[in-house]
Amino acid sequence: AVRDRVLAAWAVLLSVTVVALTIAVLVARRQARALAAPLEDLSRHCRAVAEGNLNARAAPSNIAEIDQVARTHNTMLHSLSELLRRERDFAANASHQLRTPLTGLQLALESGLAQDDDARLRPVLTEALATTHRLHHTVEEVLRLSRSPDRPRPATGDIAVAHLLQETQEHWHGLFAADGRRLECGTHDAPADVLVPGGPVSEVLGVLLDNARVHGRGTVRLVVRDLNDAFAFDVSDEGAAEGEPAQLFDRGHTGGGHGTGIGLALASELAHSIGGRLSLTRRAPATFTLLVPVRGAGSEDNSPACR
């Protein structure tokens, strides 16, 4: 009889334990779902922001600690959105305001070329007009980069590699010669009539050549190499690159302390906008390489465009 009572008591205790564990598991799962749901929602909003949706906002969850994190997230996102909006508005307004005086200057130079027969002034006016055209294209590129990523980008005009090198040589040869330095351009086993995006590539090469003129030394070389599915534009001089390679393309980083730290950052953004990449491939002698996807097939003419 005593044994039966002990077994019955143990059976009752075991039943109570099973019921208690079942209730505890059910309550724990419910609480876990209640805690995990707002965290999963916050994670979804963070992923949406990472994908470019700056309008995503986390909803309240009635859990004080998680709501505090959500409010901080929303405040940070609002501040970031306002900062990006102000920067884009500034770039767009500055570019728009520059258009009118640039157009007027171009018209005045064209009128001067049409009316002035002075042989000494015509080359100066021609060079000034070409410079204003390049400045106008630069303003257009800055305006395009300031637009939202989801807006369609205008197609850039393609240009043959030989023509691009010829224009680059004509523009930069005099500037380097005035400093007592040489500029050498050419192709290395690359067809000269393959098409590349003219505006962005010209702007990137302009930034690299200007950096070589201001910060580099000795002879500057621009060489185009064929990589089958891409073209490599190598710009090198006889100096050495200063600063950490990983920071050279950060906006505001000036390396040796000279300049504004904007040129290489803008050049890198322009390269990415056409599906290319800009990188420092050698520190000494300083060599920057622009990789550009091939836009069209060319002939097998491998003659250099300029020397």
Side-chain angles (χ1 to χ4, degrees), residues 21-53:
L21 287 175
T22 302
I23 294 175
V25 169
L26 293 176
V27 172
R29 290 186 62 181
R30 181 177 180 182
Q31 288 297 103
R33 284 197 299 269
L35 292 173
L39 292 176
E40 291 175 352
D41 182 69
L42 183 59
S43 176
R44 285 193 298 270
H45 283 85
C46 291
R47 284 197 300 270
V49 173
E51 294 172 356
N53 182 14

Side-chain angles (χ1 to χ4, degrees), residues 13-229:
L13 289 174
L14 182 60
S15 300
V16 172
T17 302
V18 171
V19 172
L21 287 175
T22 302
I23 294 175
V25 169
L26 293 176
V27 172
R29 290 186 62 181
R30 181 177 180 182
Q31 288 297 103
R33 284 197 299 269
L35 292 173
L39 292 176
E40 291 175 352
D41 182 69
L42 183 59
S43 176
R44 285 193 298 270
H45 283 85
C46 291
R47 284 197 300 270
V49 173
E51 294 172 356
N53 182 14
L54 297 182
N55 295 320
R57 295 294 187 272
S61 62
N62 298 324
I63 300 176
E65 293 79 3
I66 297 179
D67 285 347
Q68 182 178 358
V69 175
R71 286 193 297 271
T72 303
H73 168 80
N74 292 340
T75 302
M76 175 193 67
L77 190 57
H78 177 73
S79 301
L80 180 61
S81 300
E82 286 297 310
L83 177 62
L84 291 176
R85 183 187 63 80
R86 287 195 296 268
E87 289 186 352
R88 287 171 179 165
D89 289 347
F90 172 77
N93 293 337
S95 302
H96 183 270
Q97 292 302 109
L98 285 172
R99 282 176 170 177
T100 300
L102 279 177
T103 302
L105 180 58
Q106 290 175 5
L107 293 176
L109 291 173
E110 291 173 354
S111 176
L113 282 174
Q115 298 176 5
D116 197 338
D117 295 330
D118 192 339
R120 294 173 300 175
L121 291 180
R122 290 191 66 83
V124 178
L125 292 176
T126 302
E127 177 62 24
L129 182 60
T131 302
T132 57
H133 280 297
R134 284 189 291 269
L135 182 57
H136 187 272
H137 290 314
T138 302
V139 170
E140 292 294 332
E141 289 297 326
V142 172
L143 180 60
R144 181 174 64 84
L145 289 175
S146 69
R147 292 170 178 163
S148 300
D150 54 347
R151 295 185 184 179
R153 295 173 176 173
T156 58
D158 293 343
I159 185 174
V161 172
H163 191 195
L164 176 64
L165 291 179
Q166 182 179 357
E167 288 185 349
T168 303
Q169 175 79 3
E170 292 174 354
H171 174 64
W172 289 96
H173 173 76
L175 296 175
F176 281 101
D179 297 335
R181 299 170 62 186
R182 294 179 57 194
L183 171 64
E184 298 179 354
C185 305
T187 59
H188 179 70
D189 296 332
D193 59 349
V194 172
L195 301 179
V196 294
V201 174
S202 178
E203 292 298 330
V204 174
L205 293 181
V207 171
L208 297 179
L209 291 173
D210 184 65
N211 277 356
R213 185 176 68 90
V214 176
H215 305 292
R217 59 185 179 88
T219 301
V220 177
R221 295 177 176 85
L222 169 58
V223 179
V224 184
R225 295 181 288 117
D226 186 9
L227 303 179
N228 294 328
D229 58 346

Side-chain angles (χ1 to χ4, degrees), residues 263-280:
L264 287 177
L266 176 60
S268 180
E269 292 175 3
L270 286 171
H272 282 288
S273 71
I274 58 175
R277 185 174 74 250
L278 178 63
S279 60
L280 175 68

